[in-house]
Amino acid sequence: MKYPYENEFFAYCKNEKKYTDRTMLIVTKSVASFWNYYQNGADDATLDNIQATDIQNYLNSLETNLGMKKNTINKYISHLKVYFTFLYSHHLIKNYPVIEINGRRFNRKHIYVINWMDKLPQIAQIDGIHPETVKMMLAIALGYLPDEVLKLRYSDVYSKINSYELRQYLKKHTNFTNGDDPYILGKKFGGYYASDFHLSRRAEPDRKLIGMDITLQNLRLSFVYSILSREDMTDKQLQQKLKVNAKTLFYYRQNMMRYNILKEFELPNKEE
């Protein structure tokens, strides 16, 4: 089974939606891709536990990790809506998580908070902030890609941290129960998450604390735009710093200028 109710959904697409074999193949492939991503990143991977933020994180990963264009992502959204409509209309799920999911608009301006990296020692001291939030931000600030972050071990990160406070924070909030060099964002009983679904859920309440989205994909983009907003680096230096080729650098720069609004990071007021 590639995803829950696979056979039933296949019959629904064929008999009720009257899809052609080619369309059915494309739709079911999109659903299987989402379920694989969700299942590998969640501790409690059940249909009723899926939230709109989980689907949004998946869509963001298609854009950030795979470089998919907005019109392609919109097709994935439409396929997932068919699947969840089937589940909901046949009383197989209690919630309808795609109700808040809208297509990628080509003229929509996204707001990204930039230049938070140097403030990480202070961010780590915010009352109530989750360690997962700080460690995800730390790893992205060190230049790691989202899929690399999930596999980072303590030894990969500790020696690269310049701040004494952050080194102590990492040591204090890393679980050494399963060995001397664990994954910094690993599962409780060992191993690492295949996606940041679980981590994003843990970090979601911190969005209000620091005023920015906290998923690996959004953190990565905010880091990229922070670096691109500097004027002291050549294109070659930018490619090396961001671990991208010339084509991807051009893509990021065009998006930054045409589709995004950049906002400087500000530490929250302690009195708020």
Side-chain angles (χ1 to χ4, degrees):
M1 182 187 72
K2 296 180 181 178
Y3 52 85
Y5 301 105
E6 178 183 355
N7 293 333
E8 294 85 348
F9 180 60
F10 190 88
Y12 168 79
C13 289
K14 182 176 182 179
N15 301 324
E16 296 188 41
K17 299 295 290 184
K18 305 297 183 182
Y19 287 157
T20 64
D21 289 345
R22 182 176 182 276
T23 300
M24 288 170 58
L25 179 64
I26 296 172
V27 172
T28 55
K29 184 178 179 180
S30 297
V31 175
S33 172
F34 164 74
W35 181 256
N36 180 63
Y37 189 87
Y38 171 68
Q39 186 179 41
N40 287 331
D43 286 333
D44 48 355
T46 66
L47 286 174
D48 282 325
N49 284 332
I50 295 176
Q51 302 176 10
T53 52
D54 297 329
I55 298 173
Q56 193 64 60
N57 290 343
Y58 168 69
L59 298 173
N60 289 343
S61 76
L62 296 180
E63 183 174 3
T64 307
N65 295 342
L66 301 181
M68 288 189 180
K69 296 181 179 180
K70 289 180 172 57
N71 59 344
T72 303
I73 295 174
N74 285 340
K75 293 178 182 178
Y76 274 78
I77 293 173
S78 120
H79 301 161
L80 290 176
K81 285 188 174 181
V82 172
Y83 178 60
F84 283 103
T85 296
F86 154 73
L87 294 172
Y88 190 73
S89 63
H90 288 73
H91 309 290
L92 299 172
I93 55 174
K94 298 178 181 178
N95 303 311
Y96 187 64
V98 292
I99 195 169
E100 300 175 20
I101 304 297
N102 296 313
R104 295 306 211 245
R105 296 180 182 176
F106 293 88
N107 60 350
R108 183 179 178 183
K109 293 284 186 178
H110 296 273
I111 299 176
Y112 288 98
V113 178
I114 63 172
N115 297 329
W116 45 266
M117 295 84 76
D118 291 340
K119 306 290 194 312
L120 264 178
Q122 294 94 326
I123 292 173
Q125 299 304 314
I126 296 175
D127 289 338
I129 197 164
H130 290 80
E132 291 87 350
T133 294
V134 177
K135 288 190 281 187
M136 282 196 292
M137 295 180 77
L138 172 62
I140 291 294
L142 291 174
Y144 290 105
L145 302 175
D147 58 344
E148 294 176 326
V149 171
L150 297 168
K151 302 175 185 178
L152 287 178
R153 292 185 179 271
Y154 181 77
S155 61
D156 296 325
V157 179
Y158 186 82
S159 62
K160 295 183 179 181
I161 303 173
N162 294 324
S163 164
Y164 171 80
E165 291 82 6
L166 287 177
R167 287 200 298 270
Q168 294 303 111
Y169 185 94
L170 180 64
K171 183 182 294 186
K172 179 180 178 181
H173 292 93
T174 298
N175 180 8
F176 293 97
T177 303
N178 299 304
D180 296 332
D181 193 23
Y183 298 105
I184 65 169
L185 288 162
K187 298 179 180 180
K188 184 177 181 180
F189 299 107
Y192 61 86
Y193 294 102
S195 76
D196 68 336
F197 274 128
H198 171 80
L199 301 171
S200 297
R201 282 189 179 182
R202 286 281 295 163
E204 189 173 1
D206 297 338
R207 178 177 179 177
K208 294 181 179 179
L209 286 179
I210 60 177
M212 59 187 292
D213 287 332
I214 308 166
T215 65
L216 288 179
Q217 290 76 29
N218 281 321
L219 288 173
R220 167 65 181 177
L221 287 173
S222 69
F223 172 76
V224 167
Y225 297 138
S226 297
I227 303 303
L228 283 182
S229 64
R230 295 170 53 174
E231 299 180 354
D232 60 341
M233 300 179 71
T234 64
D235 281 6
K236 186 175 181 179
Q237 290 172 326
L238 289 170
Q239 289 177 46
Q240 185 176 15
K241 177 76 172 177
L242 298 176
K243 299 180 181 179
V244 299
N245 56 30
K247 182 179 179 179
T248 303
L249 181 66
F250 177 79
Y251 169 81
Y252 280 139
R253 186 172 276 142
Q254 290 292 98
N255 278 4
M256 183 177 74
M257 293 187 295
R258 294 183 178 182
Y259 306 121
N260 300 318
I261 298 173
L262 306 183
K263 177 183 176 183
E264 287 286 329
F265 176 79
E266 295 181 2
L267 284 165
N269 191 326
K270 292 183 179 181
E271 297 180 357
E272 293 181 356

